[in-house]
Amino acid sequence: MALTETDVARDVTTADFTIHYNEAGPADGPAVVLVHGGGPGATGWSNYSPNIETIAAAGFRVVAPDLPGWGASSEVDFVDYEPLDALCQLLDALGIEQAAFVGNSMGGHTSIRMAIERPERVSHLMTMGAPLQLKPFLFGATGPSEGIKIMYAGYTDYTPEAMKRLVEIMVFDIARFATPELCEERSVAASKRPEHLANVAKAGIRGPIPIWADLDRLAEITAPSLLIHGRDDRVVTFEGTLFAAARIPDSRAHIINRCGHWAQLEHADEFNRLVIDFVANN
């Protein structure tokens, strides 16, 4: 029987945060931390529900947190919030010295920063649709991408109709993935903590990423890196991943056609195989 969010739900209080997270797999297995994206209603479970059980079954200790400012975790002010501190405090609380970091979108960007600024905590780096502060791939001559505009609108309007627009822009296969059930689920999740979305909206176009990675430091990343991107991503175009792969020394880019911004959901089986193989064999 498939795991449910309730089966794997945990909470921990650190020095600065209360963090809700999902955990599965052997406690003594190599740690894999799944870091969610920044869309309205995003949580560790909503971003990684098709992945947690499979990766855990391969022998890994899988941890998928709701970052502070999201889901059931602490409220934060995105003006001075440092997500790297939250992740390191979570690792410390769980007795994890080093982990493979897997991040989608905002979570991919956060994982890149972890690999640059806290390299001793990162055994492997894997990203899906990670944004970098690049023109024209994210914020071009005409402003934010189509997907970014819809995502930001969702911080103030998270009705099922607004979430339908959000999900449709996130995926390639709209008929399969932009279901009424998923749109309703995202709307309900966002509505549970409206203060989180208000804080992101208050930060403006700089939020939900309060601190951007220094692109000149990509070459400092020593962790083996797998950079995954959907060829049809309308939120963050895949050229940003090619830019990063050209600069991170031990890296490889994996571009998936017929795939939008959520590779881990649209191509879950392929994604799970990639993560398991990459961590096991690098």
Side-chain angles (χ1 to χ4, degrees):
M1 212 164 75
L3 289 177
T4 67
E5 201 278 337
T6 303
D7 294 331
V8 293
R10 311 280 190 274
D11 292 281
V12 66
T13 299
T14 71
D16 298 312
F17 310 101
T18 295
I19 300 176
H20 179 81
Y21 65 100
N22 303 120
E23 181 173 351
D28 60 349
V32 176
V33 177
L34 307 177
V35 190
H36 64 75
T43 65
W45 182 258
S46 71
N47 262 204
Y48 294 105
S49 57
N51 318 119
I52 292 171
E53 186 171 7
T54 300
I55 298 171
F60 297 101
R61 181 184 183 183
V62 180
V63 177
D66 295 356
L67 292 177
W70 308 94
S73 293
S74 295
E75 182 180 358
V76 297
D77 186 339
F78 283 91
V79 172
D80 56 9
Y81 163 56
E82 173 51 273
L84 303 195
D85 288 345
L87 284 168
C88 287
Q89 288 181 29
L90 175 64
L91 293 180
D92 291 343
L94 300 183
I96 297 172
E97 292 187 11
Q98 192 177 64
F101 275 82
V102 181
N104 175 230
S105 193
M106 176 193 76
H109 179 271
T110 300
S111 298
I112 288 172
R113 284 194 60 221
M114 282 288 295
I116 294 172
E117 300 178 36
R118 317 282 174 98
E120 71 282 358
R121 308 307 297 259
V122 180
S123 65
H124 302 75
L125 170 66
M126 285 157 282
T127 65
M128 305 84 70
L132 298 172
Q133 203 168 21
L134 285 169
K135 294 181 179 181
F137 307 135
L138 186 61
F139 301 105
T142 59
S145 71
E146 180 186 12
I148 292 288
K149 290 176 184 177
I150 291 175
M151 186 176 73
Y152 272 88
Y155 296 130
T156 52
D157 176 9
Y158 33 89
T159 60
E161 294 75 21
M163 293 301 99
K164 183 175 187 293
R165 292 190 292 272
L166 175 71
V167 175
E168 287 180 345
I169 204 72
M170 293 285 173
V171 300
F172 173 82
D173 192 341
I174 292 174
R176 182 180 175 191
F177 290 99
T179 62
E181 293 77 15
L182 178 57
C183 298
E184 176 70 22
E185 179 185 311
R186 294 287 296 214
S187 178
V188 169
S191 302
K192 285 181 179 178
R193 296 293 297 270
E195 69 274 22
H196 284 338
L197 301 187
N199 288 333
V200 178
K202 182 178 68 175
I205 202 68
R206 63 184 298 278
I209 299 178
I211 304 169
W212 284 93
D214 182 349
L215 301 184
D216 291 334
R217 297 187 65 188
L218 290 173
E220 297 178 23
I221 294 176
T222 56
S225 301
L226 174 63
L227 313 176
I228 301 170
H229 216 117
R231 171 63 181 83
D232 308 284
D233 191 335
R234 291 186 287 166
V235 182
V236 181
T237 64
F238 73 92
E239 289 90 349
T241 279
L242 299 181
F243 177 94
R247 287 157 178 80
I248 298 173
D250 186 6
S251 68
R252 60 283 288 148
H254 188 87
I255 308 299
I256 306 176
N257 280 344
R258 303 178 66 81
C259 179
H261 195 54
W262 288 342
Q264 78 280 11
L265 300 181
E266 282 202 271
H267 296 269
D269 291 343
E270 179 176 0
F271 171 82
N272 293 340
R273 289 194 302 268
L274 286 168
V275 170
I276 291 166
D277 178 73
F278 189 71
V279 179
N281 294 300
N282 288 275

